[in-house]
Amino acid sequence: MYSAEQADRGERLYARGCSRCHGATLMGAETGSALVGREFLTRWEPKSVGALFDVMRKTMPDDAPGSLAEKQYADVLAYLLKENDFPAGKEDLPFGLEALDAISFTRP
């Protein structure tokens, strides 16, 4: 689904731009919701990975939505998948919405 290297890139991007709202541990903060755990998974499980990617690229970061390249959003998404215990694979997560819509957001 994603590669370990991609999740590592995403972790660095998350630390620079996402952690101020969602917390360093992804557990949420005053201005951002948790990105790990049961509540997060329950919210996204009926949707595709593409649905989360689409929300990310249209609304994040809060002060500059859409300011990252699609590849960077996919890297951050790979990090979120890793932190929610989805297994890594050999290939990077694709960054096109059509390809991501084909991936269900099903718990590992």
Side-chain angles (χ1 to χ4, degrees):
M1 179 181 291
Y2 66 90
S3 70
E5 295 82 13
Q6 184 179 30
D8 289 344
R9 291 191 308 265
E11 182 175 11
R12 289 188 297 275
L13 286 166
Y14 179 90
R16 284 196 318 253
C18 311
S19 63
R20 71 179 185 274
C21 293
H22 294 282
T25 62
L26 292 90
M27 293 301 295
E30 201 170 301
T31 59
S33 61
L35 300 174
V36 293
R38 185 178 182 161
E39 186 177 321
F40 175 79
L41 291 171
T42 300
R43 177 177 177 204
W44 290 102
E45 188 172 43
K47 300 173 175 91
S48 71
V49 171
L52 178 55
F53 176 81
D54 197 41
V55 167
M56 289 170 61
R57 71 186 179 130
K58 288 180 178 176
T59 65
M60 301 295 154
D62 191 28
D63 59 350
S67 60
L68 300 177
E70 286 196 349
K71 184 179 185 315
Q72 291 174 307
Y73 284 109
D75 290 351
V76 173
L77 181 52
Y79 173 58
L80 299 182
L81 292 171
K82 174 189 167 199
E83 292 301 304
N84 280 285
D85 297 325
F86 286 83
K90 295 181 183 196
E91 301 291 322
D92 279 359
L93 190 65
F95 53 89
L97 184 56
E98 188 174 316
L100 291 170
D101 273 340
I103 303 170
S104 63
F105 203 104
T106 305
R107 294 179 207 220

